[in-house]
Amino acid sequence: MNLNLVVDLGGIKMANPVTVASGTFGYGQEYADLVNIRRLGAIIVKGTTLEPRAGNPPPRLVETPAGLLNAIGLMNPGVEAFVEQYLPYLRTAGVPVIVNIAGNTVEEYAALAARLDGVAGVAGLEVNISCPNVKKGGLQFGSDPEMAAQVTRAVKDNTRLPVIVKLSPNVTSITELAQRVAAAGADALSLINTLLGMAIDIHTRRPVLGNVLGGLSGPAIKPVALRCVWQVYQAVRLPILGMGGISCARDVLEFIMAGASAVAIGTANFVNPRVSEEVLDGIREFMIAEGVKDIKELVGAAHSV
Ligand SMILES: Cc1cc2nc3c(=O)[nH]c(=O)nc-3n(C[C@H](O)[C@H](O)[C@H](O)COP(=O)(O)O)c2cc1C
């Protein structure tokens, strides 16, 4: 059976709907011995800022019963080092590379967009307005619809690349945020980023994370993420990149049926580095078993009566 898995994520053409979530797959090279990264629909790189960032004080990671808490604090070498040292390898993978960008001010987002515009090998931008563990900026932008719209507009004004805006679930109404960001010109929406959480060490009687608060990811957040995709699909006519707790083909299919055009796998990469390829095989098996020729037939399928 001839299967069509091609999807269009706001102008980014992906050979299949499976990509990897920012911050959980480094710059691709780290996984290249374990995964055939050429099979991915796209690669989303680590959060990138204008200047290099050292990140938050350790400990930065803690496992909780059904998920991971992280407070990395966007440690990264900065956009210049990304373009010079990491992008050349990524270009050789032959799949679209989406750069996740983050800033402390609207101007920083605009400058990042301008710097990456026209750079060979960059297929699109994922705008992180939702990092829960960066004190200045991040959460403010992500939880205030007006600020979210301003950042979106500034990025759009400074690039011809497709712009995916990544939303936070740490808000009262994710649909309101999605509507404002859509009106400001976003080409696609990415949801969700991590949920704000914490853990306490009862022996030291102190918070475990150096940053006290962190972002919860993994299986614990899947139902919340799925709900967000469902609600936003009904409210906004933009392609959705769904993520949050995906660890198998069944999870991917749930996100697609809730309304995601493509999905990203994050924390599950730490448990099984080959998960993205296994998931892709699982989707194909499902399509063959159910007689689905085109993956697009399944996008939003759970909404129809
Ligand atoms: C260690 C770690 C680092 C992350 N770094 C970033 C980042 O730099 N930028 C970003 O937008 N999201 C970042 N995220 C959030 C993920 O991209 C993703 O939205 C979230 O983890 C939910 O997906 P998951 O449950 O499959 O991990 C990070 C997540 C983890 C676990």
Side-chain angles (χ1 to χ4, degrees), residues 53-73:
R53 277 184 73 112
N56 287 328
R60 296 170 171 186
L61 282 178
V62 52
E63 274 187 60
T64 69
L68 189 67
L69 269 175
N70 93 82
I72 308 293

Side-chain angles (χ1 to χ4, degrees), residues 68-290:
L68 189 67
L69 269 175
N70 93 82
I72 308 293
L74 291 177
M75 180 181 135
N76 81 97
V79 69
E80 293 308 326
F82 166 71
V83 171
E84 280 155 38
Q85 293 163 29
Y86 297 98
L87 190 57
Y89 170 79
L90 282 164
R91 271 188 211 119
T92 67
V95 301
V97 174
I98 299 170
V99 184
N100 180 279
I101 59 170
N104 290 319
T105 59
V106 175
E107 292 72 27
E108 277 184 27
Y109 281 97
L112 276 159
R115 175 66 187 88
L116 291 164
D117 184 46
V119 172
V122 178
L125 302 178
E126 182 182 53
V127 186
N128 178 8
I129 54 165
S130 49
C131 188
N133 47 54
V134 175
K135 285 213 179 71
K136 223 164 91 189
L139 194 58
Q140 257 163 279
F141 291 123
S143 52
D144 177 345
E146 179 48 36
M147 290 299 287
Q150 273 184 36
V151 171
T152 306
R153 223 170 284 123
V155 170
K156 279 294 290 179
D157 285 348
N158 281 280
T159 185
R160 289 155 294 176
L161 290 166
V163 173
I164 310 166
V165 180
K166 183 164 180 177
L167 304 184
S168 168
N170 303 311
V171 293
T172 312
S173 167
I174 197 156
T175 50
E176 186 194 346
L177 205 58
Q179 281 161 336
R180 292 293 300 275
V181 162
D187 299 295
L189 298 170
S190 190
L191 33 127
I192 59 173
N193 210 317
T194 52
L195 282 150
L196 203 52
M198 76 175 296
I200 290 175
D201 179 332
I202 57 166
H203 299 294
T204 62
R205 305 182 185 184
R206 299 287 308 142
V208 178
L209 292 170
N211 191 54
V212 181
L213 305 184
L216 182 66
S217 60
I221 72 168
K222 198 192 101 180
V224 177
L226 201 58
R227 179 269 295 174
C228 291
V229 171
W230 174 276
Q231 287 183 321
V232 169
Y233 180 80
Q234 287 188 331
V236 177
R237 288 279 147 249
L238 280 184
I240 297 171
L241 175 67
M243 72 193 82
I246 293 176
S247 62
C248 62
R250 178 182 292 259
D251 292 341
V252 171
L253 290 160
E254 283 188 48
F255 273 80
I256 290 178
M257 290 176 192
S261 292
V263 294
I265 299 177
T267 302
N269 290 304
F270 300 139
V271 182
N272 170 13
R274 300 184 53 86
V275 63
S276 47
E277 277 196 85
E278 289 172 13
V279 152
L280 191 53
D281 294 337
I283 299 171
R284 298 182 75 97
E285 276 166 33
F286 177 85
M287 288 172 71
I288 292 166
E290 304 264 328

